[in-house]
Amino acid sequence: MNNNPRTNAPWRVLIIGSGFAGLGLAMQLRKAGEDDFLLLEKAGEVGGTWRDNSYPGAACDVPSHLYSFSFEPKHDWSRKFAPQAEIHAYILQCVEKHRLRPHIRLNSEVLGAEFDAARGIWRVELAGGEVVETQALVSACGQLNRPAYPKLPGLAHFRGEAFHSARWRHDLDLTGKRVAVIGTGASAIQFVPQIQPKVASLSLFQRSAAYVLAKPDRAYRPWEIALKQRLPLLQRADRLLQYLHHEGRALAFIRFPWLMRLFRHSFTRHLQRQMPDAGKRERLQPNYPMGCKRILISNDYFPALAQANVEIVDSAIREVREQSLVTADGREHPCDVLIYGTGFTATDFLAPMRIRGLDGLELNQAWKEGAEAYKGISVSGFPNLFLLYGPNTNLGHNSILYMLESQYAYVMGCLQALREQGLRYLDLRPTVQRSYNAELQQATHRTIWEQGCDSWYKTATGKHTNNWPGFTFTYRLMTRTPELADYDCVR
């Protein structure tokens, strides 16, 4: 609960969301001596995706030392790839250490915001009718916060339990149940091995097989943790080496897609070693270029699918009945519990919030052809609005926290310009946004994501809205400070 009694005067900065993105910016504001800010969180606790995704086996697929703030290192990670509970605990630790609790309002869902150009103020409407005002509005909602549900005929007739992996039913015992899992993405490959030994049967419905590589994970030894705590330089060196290793993989994603053939051999070897059943092995062979969709890592996914109580179903679901799912081939699959591992509505960004900028322009209308922003941060016609983890800033090869830290520097530079130059608002020039995004879309044509598959990286019309088609260090250079000539600076 927010302890700050101020409710009427406009805030200097208002941040929507309290995951890594929002809390990291809050930490930078505190570091700069800025206390005039507020975070609004719709849930009852901070943490974003690491609060929501508490399904069995949830863990990060980026190394722990790389998936943490450079300005708030954690030297005692338990594993090379941290589990969900430990990452969430790290987030809570950051909140307490930097005394952010007084700046956070929990259970405060934002319905929309409207910009008052005459005052240079955003009016932010909360569920329940309260309006909060701020000079600068920062969206830190992320791309993976709204679960996507498939539209299945007859679903209303299903008499069993059904839930999304991001809304895991910890109160539901799956022991002895006939379980159907829809989806084979990053969440499913983690929770399927955890529930497989418990269930009577598991039907895994996959639209397309995933590329799964071995996960180089292990627990850190006590002496390794002690050494990094005593010599922090070792942790920074390890982080740098991991960064360089991951950044090198960008060549295969964004410049030379043919390099993915090298990784393809690793996938084939991993599959052959862990899946003795030739029939299942055939079903687990993707029919699209590696890297076109998200590459996954797991050491127990294929062994779980190899078990006798697991069936891989690659026929489309035709309808849902009271106690079963019927596929296009006419087969009926009995089901007591239905689990959606169907990911998130990643291309919708700020939806369902209604954001109105200059002259009443609505953001969803401005983005009717697909979301876009300048450097993933600013949108023309929406002054003093800054996006963190916005359009085209997601990665396929490195840590998103590196991108977030780049965005912090840019946003802090804009906030500094507003204050020092006495500006009412900064509005991105439309020509700057058009030119930037034309070049960005052109750059995606040579990436692996344009090699012949559909994915959550792009809209139904084929526009790339999620991934950054470049190196992370080039993004760091281009966001180190804002160029005010890119904006209309209104006093």
Side-chain angles (χ1 to χ4, degrees):
M1 192 71 180
N2 176 45
N3 297 322
N4 197 314
R6 176 179 143 191
T7 57
N8 296 322
W11 295 88
R12 175 160 157 71
V13 184
L14 190 148
I15 303 169
I16 305 173
S18 67
F20 266 113
L23 293 174
L25 180 61
M27 291 160 70
Q28 292 301 299
L29 289 168
R30 287 299 303 266
K31 182 179 178 181
E34 177 64 73
D35 284 322
D36 192 3
F37 67 91
L38 178 68
L39 287 88
L40 297 177
E41 170 55 55
K42 66 180 179 181
E45 183 54 282
V46 303
T49 190
W50 295 106
R51 173 201 61 230
D52 294 342
N53 288 271
S54 61
Y55 56 80
C60 193
D61 58 3
V62 175
S64 307
H65 290 176
L66 198 56
Y67 199 79
S68 49
F69 293 123
S70 65
F71 49 83
E72 189 55 61
K74 175 178 168 64
H75 303 106
D76 59 347
W77 289 108
S78 66
R79 305 187 64 84
K80 284 195 170 184
F81 293 83
Q84 173 266 338
E86 191 171 7
I87 296 174
H88 192 214
Y90 168 74
I91 292 173
L92 295 174
Q93 177 185 335
C94 290
V95 169
E96 301 307 323
K97 179 177 178 179
H98 292 266
R99 303 185 302 279
L100 297 180
R101 284 289 176 188
H103 296 271
I104 300 171
R105 281 187 56 177
L106 302 174
N107 302 305
S108 299
E109 182 178 5
V110 174
L111 299 181
E114 186 170 0
F115 188 67
D116 183 341
R119 300 170 60 210
I121 294 295
W122 280 99
R123 293 174 50 80
V124 181
E125 180 188 358
L126 307 185
E130 181 183 356
V131 174
V132 183
E133 295 187 334
T134 182
Q135 180 186 29
L137 179 62
V138 179
S139 169
C141 303
Q143 299 181 14
L144 307 177
N145 67 90
R146 296 178 60 229
Y149 294 88
K151 297 179 180 179
L152 303 174
L155 185 58
H157 302 300
F158 184 61
R159 297 181 62 181
E161 302 287 350
F163 58 91
H164 194 280
S165 61
R167 303 291 184 267
W168 195 267
R169 288 281 306 278
H170 291 281
D171 63 320
L172 182 61
D173 185 5
L174 298 179
T175 303
K177 297 288 197 300
R178 298 171 299 179
V179 176
V181 174
I182 301 177
T184 54
S187 300
I189 71 155
Q190 293 185 334
F191 71 74
V192 163
Q194 301 298 313
I195 68 173
Q196 173 272 320
K198 302 178 182 179
V199 303
S201 66
L202 194 155
S203 300
L204 180 65
F205 293 83
Q206 68 170 18
R207 184 170 57 182
S208 59
Y211 283 100
V212 182
L213 300 178
K215 187 175 185 178
D217 189 24
R218 67 170 176 82
Y220 281 118
R221 301 175 181 89
W223 67 264
E224 292 177 297
I225 296 174
L227 193 61
K228 287 173 182 174
Q229 288 177 319
R230 177 163 296 193
L231 300 173
L233 184 61
L234 289 179
Q235 192 268 354
R236 291 197 293 272
D238 182 51
R239 178 187 175 94
L240 176 60
L241 290 174
Q242 290 176 358
Y243 169 79
L244 294 174
H245 170 73
H246 283 73
E247 193 66 9
R249 301 190 305 179
L251 289 170
F253 282 92
I254 65 176
R255 291 293 173 86
F256 308 112
W258 56 267
L259 287 173
M260 278 294 175
R261 297 170 194 164
L262 302 176
F263 294 100
R264 173 80 192 225
H265 290 308
S266 297
F267 159 75
T268 302
R269 185 168 60 252
H270 185 53
L271 177 60
Q272 289 177 341
R273 286 176 176 174
Q274 294 197 324
M275 178 54 72
D277 186 311
K280 288 184 176 180
R281 193 163 59 238
E282 181 63 28
R283 287 186 173 88
L284 293 170
Q285 289 283 354
N287 59 358
Y288 55 88
M290 189 173 188
C292 194
K293 297 183 180 182
R294 184 174 177 179
I295 298 174
L296 309 176
I297 55 175
S298 174
N299 296 327
D300 53 10
Y301 180 61
F302 291 149
L305 300 191
Q307 302 308 308
N309 66 337
V310 177
E311 179 184 11
I312 302 171
V313 185
D314 46 21
S315 181
I317 299 173
R318 189 178 70 193
E319 66 170 314
V320 180
R321 295 178 180 173
E322 289 186 355
Q323 294 181 315
S324 65
L325 280 69
V326 181
T327 46
D329 56 9
R331 291 189 59 203
E332 187 170 7
H333 305 267
C335 175
D336 302 314
V337 180
L338 178 56
I339 304 176
Y340 303 110
T342 44
F344 303 86
T345 55
T347 60
D348 291 347
F349 292 93
L350 275 71
M353 292 184 289
R354 301 180 302 276
I355 309 295
R356 295 189 180 277
L358 295 176
D359 302 319
L361 177 64
E362 212 272 325
L363 187 59
N364 289 326
Q365 180 63 25
W367 282 352
K368 62 182 179 181
E369 302 298 329
E372 64 177 44
Y374 179 54
K375 302 182 180 180
I377 300 172
S378 295
V379 183
S380 180
F382 296 84
N384 296 1
L385 172 66
F386 306 104
L387 311 181
L388 299 177
Y389 198 9
N392 298 108
T393 60
N394 185 63
L395 299 175
H397 68 282
N398 216 322
S399 174
I400 188 60
L401 295 193
Y402 186 92
M403 297 290 278
L404 288 175
E405 291 190 22
S406 300
Q407 293 160 31
Y408 298 156
Y410 191 91
V411 173
M412 293 293 288
C414 290
L415 296 175
Q416 182 179 2
L418 284 170
R419 167 170 283 176
E420 293 184 353
Q421 300 195 27
L423 302 177
R424 194 179 350 147
Y425 61 79
L426 289 168
D427 183 33
L428 181 71
R429 298 176 185 269
T431 54
V432 173
Q433 180 170 315
R434 284 195 296 268
S435 175
Y436 172 84
N437 280 279
E439 292 181 9
L440 185 145
Q441 291 298 318
Q442 184 63 35
T444 64
H445 294 328
R446 65 170 180 259
T447 68
I448 194 66
W449 309 308
E450 193 70 8
Q451 303 302 311
C453 73
D454 295 323
S455 71
W456 60 266
Y457 298 150
K458 52 187 179 180
T459 65
T461 60
K463 180 176 180 179
H464 287 262
T465 58
N466 289 73
N467 281 4
W468 168 244
F471 295 101
T472 62
F473 60 81
T474 59
Y475 186 80
R476 174 65 58 93
L477 290 173
M478 65 187 286
T479 54
R480 63 188 184 277
T481 184
E483 296 288 341
L484 294 186
D486 294 336
Y487 294 82
D488 288 327
C489 302
V490 180
R491 299 184 182 279

